[in-house]
Amino acid sequence: MSREERVGKVRQEPEITLAVADARIAWVLEHPHMSDWLKQALRTADGLDPIGLQNDVETLRHLIVPRSQAQIEINMTSLVVD
């Protein structure tokens, strides 16, 4: 197998990756059980600078994940104590 064949099997073309991502976003936007917060974030993100958007998403992940994990732990602890 040539190098090009190996790389081609591992890496998708960016246009394909973008089309898949857009289809997934459309599914979320059309799904009635997805949160309004998430849908609004996806609509707001459309058309923004992708580098700035990626930085914002990463920052949000670093802020929201630990906070929500702590809140869940507190809630679970209060369920056990009560």
Side-chain angles (χ1 to χ4, degrees):
M1 182 182 299
S2 72
R3 181 183 184 286
E4 289 81 17
E5 290 172 328
R6 287 192 309 270
V7 170
K9 290 184 184 234
V10 173
R11 184 180 163 275
Q12 265 187 349
E13 292 296 323
E15 294 83 5
I16 294 170
T17 303
L18 182 59
V20 169
D22 285 344
R24 290 175 178 169
I25 290 169
W27 183 89
V28 168
L29 292 174
E30 294 168 7
H31 196 283
H33 297 293
M34 293 294 175
S35 72
D36 290 335
W37 181 88
L38 177 60
K39 291 178 181 183
Q40 187 58 41
L42 290 170
R43 287 185 193 104
T44 302
D46 188 33
L48 295 179
D49 168 54
I51 294 172
L53 179 59
Q54 189 172 15
N55 289 337
D56 288 349
V57 168
E58 190 65 17
T59 300
L60 187 61
R61 185 182 73 79
H62 284 288
L63 297 171
I64 294 292
V65 170
R67 184 175 190 263
S68 61
Q69 286 174 335
Q71 288 174 318
I72 291 167
E73 188 174 332
I74 289 168
N75 289 340
M76 296 302 290
T77 303
S78 69
L79 289 175
V80 172
V81 172
D82 291 342

